[in-house]
């Protein structure tokens, strides 16, 4: 299972990459595989302020619908518009083209509270 070393992870299977004071967020390859074929992604509006663990959108697959949660508090500064026409990017490229939102983090140090790759691998192994 693909678990990039340079990302941080949540128990809800979101990944986060820190770029300066911004966080790029998506769901892990494990989550995408468990969901099956993604058919729709609902993302938040630009400028929305989110608290940590707040639902920010919905991912729908052929199997189910799941909430997407904010791994850290922040303001939505970008959404991946490509997912409106190509939600399958979440399955084919979860860590690249399948990213979902960019947040301007309230506290960049909050990323340290998330799991590293080794801890996430352990959490999904069980």
């Amino acid at each position: 299972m693909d678990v990039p070393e340079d990302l941080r992870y949540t128990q809800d299977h979101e990944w986060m990459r820190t770029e300066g004071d911004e966080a790029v967020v998506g769901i892990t390859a494990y989550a995408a595989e468990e969901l099956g074929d993604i058919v729709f992604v609902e993302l938040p509006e630009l400028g929305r302020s989110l608290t940590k663990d707040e639902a920010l959108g919905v991912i729908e697959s052929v199997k189910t619908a799941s909430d997407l949660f904010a791994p850290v508090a922040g303001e939505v500064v970008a959404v991946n518009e490509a997912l409106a026409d190509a939600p399958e990017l979440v399955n084919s490229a979860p860590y690249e083209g399948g990213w979902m939102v960019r947040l301007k983090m309230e506290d960049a140090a909050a990323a340290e509270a998330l799991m590293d790759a080794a801890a996430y691998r352990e959490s999904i192994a069980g």
Side-chain angles (χ1 to χ4, degrees):
M1 185 61 57
D2 189 18
V3 180
E5 291 294 328
D6 62 330
L7 304 178
R8 301 302 261 183
Y9 301 89
T10 71
Q11 292 288 355
D12 294 311
H13 310 290
E14 284 89 18
W15 59 263
M16 187 183 98
R17 178 176 48 246
T18 302
E19 295 180 357
D21 64 350
E22 292 184 1
V24 181
V25 179
I27 65 167
T28 65
Y30 174 83
E33 186 176 301
E34 289 292 304
L35 286 169
D37 294 335
I38 307 296
V39 296
F40 178 74
V41 180
E42 178 186 312
L43 298 172
E45 63 279 356
L46 294 177
R48 179 172 165 196
S49 289
L50 299 164
T51 58
K52 181 181 178 344
D53 299 326
E54 180 178 351
L56 62 87
V58 176
I59 304 160
E60 293 182 20
S61 72
V62 293
K63 293 181 185 177
T64 188
S66 298
D67 285 335
L68 177 67
F69 298 98
V72 294
E75 178 186 337
V76 178
V77 294
V79 296
N80 188 347
E81 309 258 344
L83 298 180
D85 294 323
E88 66 275 6
L89 284 170
V90 176
N91 293 109
S92 62
Y95 303 112
E96 295 86 29
W99 67 275
M100 296 182 183
V101 299
R102 273 186 171 275
L103 302 173
K104 182 170 176 62
M105 294 184 283
E106 285 181 10
D107 178 11
E112 297 305 313
L114 302 177
M115 288 184 278
D116 63 13
Y120 183 69
R121 268 191 222 94
E122 192 174 304
S123 79
I124 61 175

